[in-house]
Amino acid sequence: MNSFNNVRELLLLSYVNNVVSDREFVLLYDAYQSKNPDFNYHQYEPFNLDNIDSAECKAEFRIEKADLHRLAEALQLPPTFHCQQRTVFDSMEGLCMLLKRVSYPCRYSDMIPRFGRPVSFLSLITNHTLDYIYENHGHLITQWNRNILNPRALQSYADSISRKGASLNNCFGFIDGTVRPISRPGHAQRVVYNGHKRVHSLKFQSLAFPNGLIGNILGPYFCISQGRKHDAGMLADSGLLNNLQRFAISPTGEPMCIYGDPAYPLRVHLQAPFRQGRLTPQMQAYNEAMSEVRVSVEWLFGDIINSFKFLDYKKKLKIELSSVGKMYVVCALLRNAVTCLYKNQTSLFF
């Protein structure tokens, strides 16, 4: 860096003394500019949310400027974070940095003008905020959350689904799995290769509600044995069936159920389409009615990716260099927060 500065200073002196022409000065000055993105980070102002336009805030962070403080409060972010490397940053900067990173495929160097920090600091702060949200709030979406999975709430979900024409009057949600492509790893290709989709990927299983929330998520599955499991295999490992048997009851004590595709087994608390033998007209009508409402789970998978496009850029999703699975879970949690603020296609449909 010092060598580049010295050469550029000499060029300035030479230009002032008319040793080099205008054209020569411009060409040489640009040629001796450092390729390190951190070289000029200090020329940008430190991050200040008050200086960002509302439209820019929504475009870059997926959240309205007025709602960012509500989100930070809901996530119970401390006023300041202290990293092990003694880096100090305030919670709003960390939250906005994480949202900027996952909202659209970008490099850390592209974030320098917005936050005025070098790449190493941007990476450190982003990952520290990601870890904090996952460790403190990940259980809300990876475990049975009694706040949104109590008998009264389950009955409300079932009533909404039934009003939309579902054949079942005790179905409160829909379950399905999704495959998220990732970059091909260097030393673990067989571990994450999905032979059915013919892509290196991680698998997740989600439980969707008619209010547009993701009530439960399981994953990632990526080892050789796990990667070959279908949706029913993930369900067995998740422990969700046990939770359904314990907690999925109506306020009057009746069993409630969720609905999945034909890959799932039939249980009292888990229903699926008719799929064996010749279907009667009544069976076909049942399948069609449930299929029309079950499509909402696919919408929620799309909502996560549409809100946080970084998850759809597989070249940057490298499991050997970053916490890809953790990032997907946190983005699903953030998507729930966005749904609470602005609703979505699923909540409006029901």
Side-chain angles (χ1 to χ4, degrees):
M1 185 178 296
N2 290 333
S3 62
F4 280 107
N5 287 336
N6 293 336
V7 172
R8 286 156 72 93
E9 289 177 2
L10 290 174
L11 281 172
L12 286 171
L13 291 175
S14 300
Y15 179 70
V16 170
N17 294 322
N18 296 321
V19 176
V20 296
S21 65
D22 294 348
R23 179 181 176 82
E24 290 173 335
F25 172 76
V26 172
L27 292 175
L28 291 172
Y29 197 81
D30 289 339
Y32 283 95
Q33 185 173 357
S34 174
K35 300 300 187 289
N36 185 350
D38 290 345
F39 181 70
N40 292 320
Y41 81 89
H42 54 273
Q43 75 182 25
Y44 300 105
E45 295 182 0
F47 176 78
N48 188 341
L49 184 61
D50 295 335
N51 296 335
I52 303 178
D53 181 77
S54 298
E56 289 181 331
C57 188
K58 182 64 180 294
E60 294 187 22
F61 308 138
R62 296 291 192 265
I63 307 289
E64 296 284 356
K65 183 176 180 178
D67 295 325
L68 278 171
H69 291 285
R70 295 177 61 191
L71 178 58
E73 183 179 355
L75 293 173
Q76 300 174 358
L77 301 180
T80 58
F81 284 100
H82 297 266
C83 301
Q84 291 182 349
Q85 294 83 347
R86 299 184 180 179
T87 301
V88 180
F89 61 96
D90 66 77
S91 60
M92 186 54 63
E93 181 183 18
L95 177 60
C96 291
M97 204 174 289
L98 174 61
L99 291 172
K100 171 73 173 178
R101 175 66 168 170
V102 298
S103 293
Y104 196 79
C106 66
R107 298 168 296 184
Y108 283 119
S109 57
D110 300 328
M111 298 166 58
I112 292 177
R114 171 58 70 196
F115 297 98
R117 288 183 181 266
V119 168
S120 59
F121 281 54
L122 292 171
S123 175
L124 179 68
I125 294 172
T126 299
N127 285 291
H128 190 87
T129 307
L130 177 76
D131 291 340
Y132 179 89
I133 295 176
Y134 181 84
E135 292 169 3
N136 290 274
H137 304 291
H139 66 278
L140 297 176
I141 200 170
T142 59
Q143 300 177 19
W144 190 270
N145 187 348
R146 299 299 296 271
N147 291 326
I148 59 174
L149 287 165
N150 56 73
R152 188 174 180 180
L154 299 185
Q155 186 64 58
S156 175
Y157 304 152
D159 292 342
S160 297
I161 295 173
S162 179
R163 284 195 299 267
K164 204 62 181 177
S167 302
L168 296 171
N169 59 9
N170 66 335
C171 174
F172 66 87
F174 307 97
I175 188 171
D176 198 8
T178 184
V179 174
R180 294 309 316 157
I182 61 173
S183 176
R184 184 175 67 179
H187 300 89
Q189 296 184 29
R190 291 185 60 235
V191 171
V192 296
Y193 185 73
N194 186 296
H196 177 64
K197 298 291 185 178
R198 298 183 181 278
V199 66
H200 295 87
S201 61
L202 301 180
K203 298 179 68 174
F204 296 87
Q205 177 182 270
S206 295
L207 176 61
F209 296 150
N211 59 1
L213 294 180
I214 299 171
N216 185 268
I217 191 168
L218 170 72
Y221 275 87
F222 58 90
C223 76
I224 294 177
S225 61
Q226 292 171 330
R228 293 174 181 170
K229 285 188 176 179
H230 48 68
D231 291 347
M234 289 195 295
L235 176 68
D237 286 348
S238 69
L240 181 60
L241 277 178
N242 293 332
N243 286 329
L244 289 171
Q245 294 171 1
R246 294 175 58 192
F247 305 118
I249 57 175
S250 70
T252 59
E254 300 297 323
M256 308 291 286
C257 72
I258 57 177
Y259 188 83
D261 60 29
Y264 290 100
L266 287 175
R267 299 288 187 273
V268 173
H269 298 280
L270 175 60
Q271 297 296 305
F274 290 101
R275 55 186 181 273
Q276 294 180 351
R278 181 176 298 178
L279 301 184
T280 65
Q282 292 82 1
M283 293 177 180
Q284 293 179 352
Y286 171 91
N287 287 353
E288 291 175 2
M290 294 305 298
S291 177
E292 290 180 1
V293 291
R294 182 187 170 276
V295 70
S296 61
V297 69
E298 301 292 343
W299 294 343
L300 291 187
F301 287 142
D303 287 339
I304 297 175
I305 303 303
N306 290 332
S307 294
F308 306 110
K309 289 288 189 179
F310 188 86
L311 297 174
D312 204 28
Y313 187 52
K314 69 176 186 178
K315 290 184 178 180
K316 296 293 290 184
L317 302 178
K318 302 178 180 180
I319 60 173
E320 297 173 331
L321 298 178
S322 58
S323 304
V324 180
K326 183 186 296 184
M327 182 182 294
Y328 187 88
V329 173
V330 169
C331 285
L333 188 65
L334 292 174
R335 177 59 228 185
N336 275 358
V338 173
T339 299
C340 291
L341 290 169
Y342 313 120
K343 300 185 179 181
N344 62 3
Q345 183 180 5
T346 301
S347 61
L348 294 174
F349 175 76
F350 285 102

